[in-house]
Amino acid sequence: MHRLLRTFTALAAFAALGLPAGCSSDSASGAKEEEATVREAATGSAGPPEGAFWVDPDSPAARQVEQWQQQGRTRDAEALRRISEQPMAVWPAGDDPAPDIAQATRGAAKENRTAVLVAYNIPHRDCGQHSAGGAGSADQYRSWVDTFAGAIGDAPALVVLEPDAIPHIVDGCTPAEYHEDRYQLLSEAIQRLKRQPEVKVYLDAGNPGWISEPGKLTEPLRKAGVAQADGFSLNVSNFQSDGTIKAYGRTLSAAVGGKHFVMDTSRNGRGPLAGDRQDAWCNPPGRGLGTPPTDRTGDPLVDAVLWIKRPGDSDGPCRGGPAAGQWWPDYALGLARNAKAA
């Protein structure tokens, strides 16, 4: 998944918003609270997952914990529990999303929890880069979304809709001839998903290091139907700090009618990789787990803190990683060991 990380541009933009460069919250006390929260994740003292979200007992991280225990790698297995025991999003794969969704919603129902799902199959996905693919046509996408929504049924679910799709319009990566079709498809997808009685939908809006001026997203989000969604998502698969995301989200919310948002904190415990690097989004070294997932955010605009990108899933074949979305245990272990504030 393509994640441009233009650090210096982003810092300049946040200076215009009145945020000091590198600030991780809106105040000194907020920074301390955020650091303490992330430190809990690092030390394992955070306790069981908070709130409503389902933990997959058969995730790649859970299977890796079991394997390492059998091999006598006890310390590594215990470190990896910081991932395996937290709720993470499910990204249904292939042309038929129903099996993955059914498994997640059934598992969640048994525990009276909510499944977090990602719809990621828009035509011309990721501009042909590491996560290229998606439906072959608009009609195929409509059918896929209908299957996706139908598989949820009456179960409670939180759906993050099409990471990158809007930001790739804004940054020019997606060719102009596809823009109007994409807006239409996203708007229809929101409407279809909202027909399910217990579904909340959050349309993806990228991250502050990618589209540094939130105002550039306003009209594209409106065209894509954000007014009918429950809100928007930020920082999916990226590394921006909690405070930076929240400040950006508040600004964007004010521009799109006060919509709420959710934020991905799965790998942002040490913030983004320093420097203005084109590939800083792709398996950057030295990153760590961020704030554990919860729907108890204490912020009226933030509906949930989530681990949308599954920690340990590769961003792509860069820095020695496997293909995008493939499990990479060594990287996962690094995230677990580095789960602390920068």
Side-chain angles (χ1 to χ4, degrees):
M1 194 181 303
H2 190 49
R3 290 279 182 272
L4 297 178
L5 187 57
R6 302 286 188 181
T7 303
F8 299 123
T9 303
L11 292 177
F14 278 93
L17 291 173
L19 285 175
C23 180
S24 62
S25 82
D26 296 328
S27 66
S29 62
K32 290 178 181 177
E33 290 175 2
E34 181 178 329
E35 183 173 350
T37 302
V38 178
R39 190 181 293 113
E40 285 182 346
T43 61
S45 62
E50 287 187 340
F53 304 118
W54 175 65
V55 178
D56 182 0
D58 193 39
S59 69
R63 293 196 297 271
Q64 193 72 59
V65 167
E66 182 177 355
Q67 179 180 335
W68 281 350
Q69 285 179 324
Q70 293 173 352
Q71 294 172 350
R73 295 179 60 177
T74 305
R75 293 183 64 184
D76 291 344
E78 287 305 308
L80 206 62
R81 288 186 189 277
R82 297 168 187 161
I83 296 175
S84 68
E85 294 181 351
Q86 294 294 337
M88 295 174 281
V90 173
W91 299 60
D95 294 333
D96 183 7
D100 289 336
I101 292 173
Q103 181 181 22
T105 53
R106 282 198 302 264
K110 292 178 182 178
E111 300 174 10
N112 197 29
R113 290 179 177 261
T114 297
V116 179
L117 308 170
V118 180
Y120 188 55
N121 198 41
I122 199 78
H124 315 291
R125 189 179 70 193
D126 202 31
C127 309
Q129 299 176 91
H130 289 322
S131 294
S137 68
D139 285 341
Q140 287 180 16
Y141 184 69
R142 291 183 178 100
S143 177
W144 186 86
V145 169
D146 186 57
T147 299
F148 189 111
I152 297 172
D154 294 338
L158 187 156
V159 178
V160 175
L161 181 61
E162 296 299 342
D164 298 354
I166 293 294
H168 271 318
I169 287 177
V170 175
D171 74 3
C173 187
T174 298
E177 61 264 31
Y178 302 139
H179 290 187
E180 292 305 317
D181 282 348
R182 177 164 292 185
Y183 289 137
Q184 182 66 28
L185 290 175
L186 290 171
S187 178
E188 291 177 7
I190 293 168
Q191 294 175 49
R192 176 62 188 90
L193 289 162
K194 290 300 294 179
R195 283 166 47 191
Q196 306 309 125
E198 298 296 330
V199 168
K200 291 189 174 182
V201 182
Y202 295 84
L203 180 60
D204 188 63
N207 69 77
W210 182 0
I211 308 298
S212 60
E213 300 176 37
K216 292 183 177 180
L217 290 161
T218 303
E219 190 59 24
L221 285 171
R222 287 175 176 166
K223 287 182 177 181
V226 73
Q228 283 71 52
D230 293 276
F232 54 90
S233 58
L234 292 174
N235 205 48
V236 174
S237 298
N238 209 261
F239 306 86
Q240 305 299 307
S241 69
D242 288 12
T244 299
I245 302 165
K246 288 178 182 178
Y248 187 91
R250 292 185 190 111
T251 300
L252 185 55
S253 172
V256 291
K259 284 292 181 180
H260 293 195
F261 59 97
V262 298
M263 46 193 275
D264 186 355
T265 61
S266 59
R267 306 184 297 174
N268 75 343
R270 288 180 174 261
L273 187 68
D276 187 21
R277 299 184 182 185
Q278 179 79 7
D279 60 350
W281 59 273
C282 192
N283 300 323
R287 302 308 92 197
L289 302 175
T291 305
T294 180
D295 60 350
R296 305 168 191 172
T297 70
D299 188 315
L301 283 178
V302 183
D303 286 349
V305 170
L306 303 170
W307 285 7
I308 300 171
K309 173 73 174 186
R310 298 168 69 93
D313 284 1
S314 176
D315 293 314
C318 49
R319 296 189 171 94
Q326 297 300 304
W327 173 246
W328 187 5
D330 290 341
Y331 196 81
L333 185 59
L335 291 170
R337 288 176 170 168
N338 289 327
K340 62 181 180 181

